[in-house]
Amino acid sequence: MKFLRDFLDKQKPHFSKGGRFEKLHSTFDAFETFLFVPNKVTVSGAHIRDAIDMKRTMIVVVLAMVPALLFGIWNVGYQHFLSHGINAGFWEIVGFGLLKVLPVIVVSYVTGLAIEFAFAQVRHHEVNEGFLVSGLLIPLVMPPDVPLWMVAVATAFAVVIGKEVFGGTGMNILNPALTARAFLFFAHPAEMSGDKVWIAEKADAYSGATALGHLLVGEADKIPSFSDMFLGFIPGSIGETSTLAILIGAVILVAAGVGSLRIMLSVVAGGLVMGGIFNLIGANAYMQLPAYYHLVMGGFAFGTVFMATDPVSAAQTGVGKIWYGFFIGAIAVLIRVFNPAYPEGMMLAILLMNVFAPLIDHYVIQSNIKKRLKRAKAAVAA
Amino acid sequence: MSAATKEKEPLFSAKNRKLLTNPINLNNPITVQVLGICSALAVTAKLKPAFVMAVSVIVVTAFANLIISLLRNGIPPRIRIIVQLVVIASLVILVDQLLKAFVYDVSRQLSVFVGLIITNCIVMGRLEAFAMGNKPWPSLLDGIGNGLGYSLILIMVGFVRELFGSGTIWGYHVIPQSFYDLGYRNNGFMILPPMALIIVGIIIWIQRSRNPELVEEK
């Protein structure tokens, strides 16, 4: 490691003020802080800093996504060969999956990071690492058959309109990865929904509908078994199918203190309560679906663990997080049942609550202030 | 003496030219004053209706400004809004009838939005802010200028939305079939009003970064 440090120290003057590559300062800074914890000290305000800075927080999230990613790669291959009725070996399946998934990841990272670096140069701020996570989240919420240029356009849209216009990482109102998905969902519905896109290069005669797709056309008997959906042997977006793999990610996030368990639990509670209410009404096949089925169908689990807990766009206050999560779960199920034309209610629910998160926080803080004022007044009176 | 020189002010003096050009850029009714947004979002999915709408608004702002300026000394201040509305409404009805007579299909597409020019904030705003206190000629220029500023944005937004949303310009296919064969698809989001808002936002962004004096101090 020492030689790396020496090398960086030698190069540093070129990128500092007055150096040859002064303009590329933020690019250099990005790589330096990526490799080593920066040695900058605070100049004012609170002087205590956690050793875990943003780059190292983000890497935990990336690690947490790895199980879902690996399973996704396998499942993309598995679904492909299943649709063709071919009995393929493990490595064949993984090989096909890699061939499909890797290009999406590469396109997402290259486009997003190129824009991030460009903005950092122009605006003279450091390159933020938020995109390390978004860049992997975007491929995981894409259908395996998505055209690569669409991934590039959506990523560019998400980074520029979803993030940079608000001032970059940490300032965004909406979750960038979901912004990318929502953009594609409205821009290219044919490539983002229906029963054609969830299995890569599927055989024509094979039904590629997701569980939500079956429910849309009223084929409740065709949805896969609960255990299949929990384990993830179903068609769907690359990373969303296996609730089990996502749960492993959730454990990593919660254990590392990065993801909020409070949000995850309240999203699940919201979904269960709303699903339970519909069970009681039971007017159609969709409403009769057991509430816990919603948790393993579509992007519910993935959204709960990786999207709703995004620390930037979620509610910040403790009580606020409960309300925020509960409404995400409830609205997601509500949209699924009442407006099946938008099968992925989870995406829309999270984006909607992202917008409401600051409002929720505001009222939580105000009520807290009121409560304390009352207590103070009571103390004075007594 | 000073009165005599004032009367001889050339028709297109620097001051008058400014009345015409300022609203096109630095005082644009849409991107700087943020007026008339609703119609800008509603009619810009295709270039043709956007263009027709733009021309209609130019006509209405220009003549409303002119007429109100001519009447300005005779209008009792307490009922001036009513008088302004009567003038605008008459002009809008005229425009609407003309559109129905000559470009019926576009008039159908624009539907209620031609009628809604009556409530377009740009028209009322210019009458109140300019025509009520200025002579007819500068008022006419100001009306045309603001109409042009509005039109410029409408046409830019309409161009982008039609090109990427439908692959056409003015109804003609401009994106070659070979692109579609390669896998290119029209962007359905462009047809939806939210995208118009985002495009207007991007135009504001570009304009502000080119003219830092437009950026408010913190």
Side-chain angles (χ1 to χ4, degrees):
Chain A
M1 277 304 168
K2 182 106 176 32
F3 78 97
L4 206 56
R5 184 72 258 177
D6 291 343
F7 175 76
L8 282 173
D9 285 342
K10 219 186 259 169
Q11 300 304 320
K12 205 165 188 171
H14 294 312
F15 292 95
S16 311
K17 238 190 160 79
R20 258 187 300 169
F21 305 116
E22 187 192 330
K23 285 222 163 81
L24 292 173
H25 170 74
S26 45
T27 310
F28 177 79
D29 186 70
F31 284 109
E32 192 196 3
T33 53
F34 185 75
L35 293 166
F36 291 99
V37 174
N39 59 354
K40 277 185 200 132
V41 289
T42 53
V43 280
S44 68
H47 289 290
I48 300 170
R49 286 282 187 273
D50 201 325
I52 306 289
D53 62 3
M54 197 151 64
K55 278 195 173 69
R56 271 137 282 266
T57 311
M58 292 300 179
I59 217 72
V60 173
V61 186
V62 173
L63 277 178
M65 278 188 278
V66 166
L69 173 67
L70 291 181
F71 183 85
I73 290 173
W74 180 83
N75 192 44
V76 167
Y78 173 74
Q79 294 293 335
H80 165 76
F81 288 113
L82 188 71
S83 81
H84 285 273
I86 301 171
N87 213 346
F90 178 76
W91 291 111
E92 218 176 331
I93 288 176
V94 171
F96 181 86
L98 275 176
L99 219 58
K100 276 282 157 194
V101 176
L102 271 189
V104 183
I105 298 177
V106 170
V107 166
S108 148
Y109 268 126
V110 169
T111 324
L113 286 177
I115 297 173
E116 283 270 340
F117 275 91
F119 268 96
Q121 298 299 354
V122 174
R123 292 186 167 169
H124 304 293
H125 63 61
E126 52 180 303
V127 176
N128 273 313
E129 33 295 304
F131 195 76
L132 287 182
V133 172
S134 309
L136 191 55
L137 275 175
I138 291 172
L140 290 183
V141 294
M142 292 290 158
D145 243 358
V146 65
L148 293 178
W149 70 270
M150 285 184 190
V151 179
V153 172
T155 309
F157 180 86
V159 174
V160 176
I161 302 296
K163 206 159 85 172
E164 289 299 340
V165 283
F166 296 111
T169 303
M171 315 292 275
N172 44 307
I173 296 172
L174 302 173
N175 181 319
L178 273 185
T179 311
R181 197 184 190 286
F183 175 81
L184 280 190
F185 182 77
F186 288 108
H188 302 287
E191 279 76 18
M192 288 300 286
S193 45
D195 52 3
K196 299 269 183 291
V197 300
W198 304 112
I199 298 176
E201 293 169 22
K202 82 177 181 72
D204 282 339
Y206 191 80
S207 158
T210 59
L212 292 168
H214 282 304
L215 281 171
L216 169 62
V217 289
E219 297 169 327
D221 51 322
K222 277 197 186 159
I223 60 172
S225 69
F226 183 82
S227 66
D228 271 2
M229 291 199 284
F230 178 75
L231 295 173
F233 304 124
I234 47 171
S237 293
I238 293 170
E240 74 174 10
T241 56
S242 170
T243 309
L244 180 66
I246 294 165
L247 275 180
I248 298 173
V251 170
I252 298 176
L253 281 183
V254 173
V258 174
S260 160
L261 183 63
R262 202 183 279 243
I263 292 181
M264 294 182 202
L265 289 181
S266 39
V267 175
V268 171
L272 286 178
V273 168
M274 200 43 133
I277 292 173
F278 285 133
N279 284 167
L280 291 180
I281 302 172
N284 58 27
Y286 223 139
M287 288 190 182
Q288 286 157 7
L289 189 77
Y292 58 90
Y293 266 58
H294 280 293
L295 305 183
V296 294
M297 276 171 23
F300 196 99
F302 193 85
T304 305
V305 173
F306 293 113
M307 302 293 197
T309 56
D310 171 5
V312 178
S313 52
Q316 308 290 325
T317 52
V319 183
K321 279 177 180 170
I322 294 177
W323 284 106
Y324 164 85
F326 186 84
F327 276 113
I328 288 180
I331 293 173
V333 174
L334 188 76
I335 296 175
R336 280 181 177 181
V337 173
F338 273 124
N339 193 355
Y342 290 146
E344 206 30 284
M346 196 58 186
M347 168 183 82
L348 300 168
I350 296 177
L351 286 175
L352 181 69
M353 290 317 289
N354 278 172
V355 175
F356 276 107
L359 188 73
I360 296 174
D361 280 341
H362 173 79
Y363 280 112
V364 170
I365 292 170
Q366 289 305 318
S367 85
N368 197 21
I369 291 176
K370 250 185 225 155
K371 209 161 55 188
R372 287 182 157 224
L373 268 180
K374 215 181 206 173
R375 204 187 304 155
K377 269 182 200 150
V380 168
Chain B
M1 179 65 201
S2 67
T5 50
K6 239 184 189 172
E7 271 167 36
K8 271 181 194 155
E9 188 183 342
L11 279 184
F12 288 98
S13 65
K15 208 176 92 197
N16 282 348
R17 271 201 314 258
K18 243 193 155 153
L19 287 177
L20 205 55
T21 55
N22 229 12
I24 294 177
N25 188 14
L26 290 182
N27 203 10
N28 190 292
I30 294 188
T31 61
V32 178
Q33 301 174 19
V34 199
L35 299 173
I37 286 287
C38 24
S39 58
L41 304 190
V43 300
T44 50
K46 294 261 163 64
L47 191 55
K48 200 170 177 186
F51 181 79
V52 172
M53 181 72 180
V55 173
S56 314
V57 170
I58 295 178
V59 170
V60 174
T61 48
F63 284 102
N65 256 13
L66 178 67
I67 293 168
I68 290 296
S69 178
L70 286 168
L71 297 175
R72 71 183 188 280
N73 293 326
I75 301 175
R78 293 173 79 180
I79 59 159
R80 66 184 194 284
I81 303 280
I82 300 172
V83 176
Q84 289 165 6
L85 274 179
V86 170
V87 171
I88 302 170
S90 322
L91 285 167
V92 168
I93 291 169
L94 271 176
V95 168
D96 196 24
Q97 295 298 323
L98 281 172
L99 291 183
K100 275 188 184 144
F102 293 104
V103 279
Y104 184 68
D105 53 328
V106 179
S107 158
R108 284 279 303 275
Q109 283 179 44
L110 289 173
S111 68
V112 67
F113 288 99
V114 174
L116 282 178
I117 298 177
I118 297 173
T119 56
N120 192 318
C121 330
I122 300 171
V123 187
M124 283 286 277
R126 288 334 288 172
L127 295 184
E128 275 288 289
F130 200 89
M132 287 300 288
N134 284 284
K135 289 186 170 169
W137 174 245
S139 298
L140 178 68
L141 290 180
D142 180 80
I144 296 174
N146 276 284
L148 282 175
Y150 175 84
S151 311
L152 181 74
I153 304 298
L154 238 68
I155 287 170
M156 279 160 74
V157 177
F159 179 84
V160 174
R161 284 182 72 190
E162 186 173 355
L163 178 63
F164 292 108
S166 317
T168 57
I169 295 291
W170 202 269
Y172 297 105
H173 284 275
V174 288
I175 294 181
Q177 186 58 38
S178 55
F179 273 49
Y180 291 100
D181 295 340
L182 283 174
Y184 177 79
R185 293 286 175 273
N186 287 328
N187 190 325
F189 200 18
M190 282 283 173
I191 310 279
L192 304 172
M195 204 59 196
L197 188 69
I198 291 171
I199 295 171
V200 171
I202 293 173
I203 295 173
I204 293 177
W205 186 10
I206 296 169
Q207 191 188 20
R208 283 179 167 228
S209 49
R210 285 180 53 183
N211 304 293
E213 69 267 26
L214 288 178
V215 181
E216 301 90 349
E217 277 171 38
K218 275 179 193 154

